[in-house]
Amino acid sequence: MRFHLIYILTLVFKTVVGQIPNNSFETWNTMSGYSTPANWDNLNQITFSSGIFTCSQGTPGNPGSSYLILMSKTVPGRGVVPGIAVSGKLDTSTYKPLSGYAFTNRPQSLNYNIQYMPYDPTDSSSVKVLLTRWDTTTLLRDTIAYGASYYNAMAHSWFVGSTYLNYQSGDAPDSALIVLSSSSSSPKEWSYIYLDNLQFSGSVIGINEQSINQEDVLIYPNPTIESFTMELKNNVDAAEIYVYDIMGKQIFRTSFSNSITVNTMTWARGTYFVKISRNNKSSINKKIIIQ
């Protein structure tokens, strides 16, 4: 995958390579009419004139003194604007990221403390990570790894979430981009996500092309009432999980490593279809019954 020059024109290397700038959202800058977390761009700069803020500081942190609040809100003349924070630069017209920050490691995952609630079942909050490297020959930015987690239900207590990276290249990146959003591309007012304590962990060497088979995945309990756990076996260490309801609507998606427990307390009773995929190259399907 390649990214054209327009998306890297404003690339600025601001921080120590390997670290996430202001990863616990402890440092906030006061701008002309609004506040913003240091080293994180957001849309307050275009909404503050209406007295509306889609990015704000929550207290106390988990841990620390503060955390990040992103909330989708209706802004006069713009409709519903999502709460977005980018570890770099953000295009305030398209709401697309423009750049990230200097980074040369190859982590396995991005971990964070999180709460969330999409206001409408069709909406989803998300955490996305992109590692890239500038190609001096093609003058394009090559994708080294990408990871995304989507949160469709709700969690009103802090828990540790993880977004695992799928590597497409064995090269080291030179830039990392983290995009945090309260909503999807069709935002719903009052959807929100709280985040704190972002940290990369693990290390990946090369590209793991391992496929996934039925015997590689264990789901229990099934049927279930409140939650189910999925475990990877036979040396499969990471995968993506997608859950669909009986009508085929995706209600949950994330990446995970080794095992994951999914809270189903807010899901309606019935049968759900679970797709487990590895690097978008192989996948299997299972069913889960919520009683």
Side-chain angles (χ1 to χ4, degrees), residues 9 32 42 53 62 68 88 103 139 192-193 197 213 226 243 278:
L9 287 176
S32 177
N42 58 79
F53 305 95
N62 187 269
L68 176 71
F103 186 84
L139 299 183
Y192 70 78
I193 186 171
N197 198 33
N213 302 299
E226 296 182 350
V243 181
R278 183 169 179 78

Side-chain angles (χ1 to χ4, degrees), residues 189-208:
E189 188 174 26
W190 307 123
S191 291
Y192 70 78
I193 186 171
Y194 300 167
L195 288 153
D196 202 358
N197 198 33
L198 277 65
Q199 299 183 51
F200 283 117
S201 68
S203 180
V204 175
I205 299 175
I207 305 175
N208 192 338

Side-chain angles (χ1 to χ4, degrees), residues 16-31:
V16 177
V17 172
Q19 303 299 317
I20 300 175
N22 194 21
N23 68 307
S24 288
F25 305 104
E26 294 296 291
T27 304
W28 289 70
N29 297 328
T30 301
M31 311 300 285

Side-chain angles (χ1 to χ4, degrees), residues 5 30 106 129 132-133 138 167 186 191 208 212 250 285:
L5 183 61
T30 301
R106 290 172 55 90
V129 186
T132 62
R133 183 179 183 87
T138 63
Y167 280 83
S186 299
S191 291
N208 192 338
I212 192 168
Q250 180 180 293
N285 295 284

Side-chain angles (χ1 to χ4, degrees), residues 51-73:
I52 296 171
F53 305 95
T54 61
C55 175
S56 59
Q57 183 180 16
T59 58
N62 187 269
S65 61
S66 64
Y67 62 92
L68 176 71
I69 298 176
L70 298 174
M71 183 175 292
S72 304
K73 296 183 179 180

Side-chain angles (χ1 to χ4, degrees), residues 221-234:
N222 189 14
T224 185
I225 298 176
E226 296 182 350
S227 66
F228 67 87
T229 297
M230 180 177 298
E231 290 186 1
L232 299 176
K233 304 186 296 179
N234 303 328

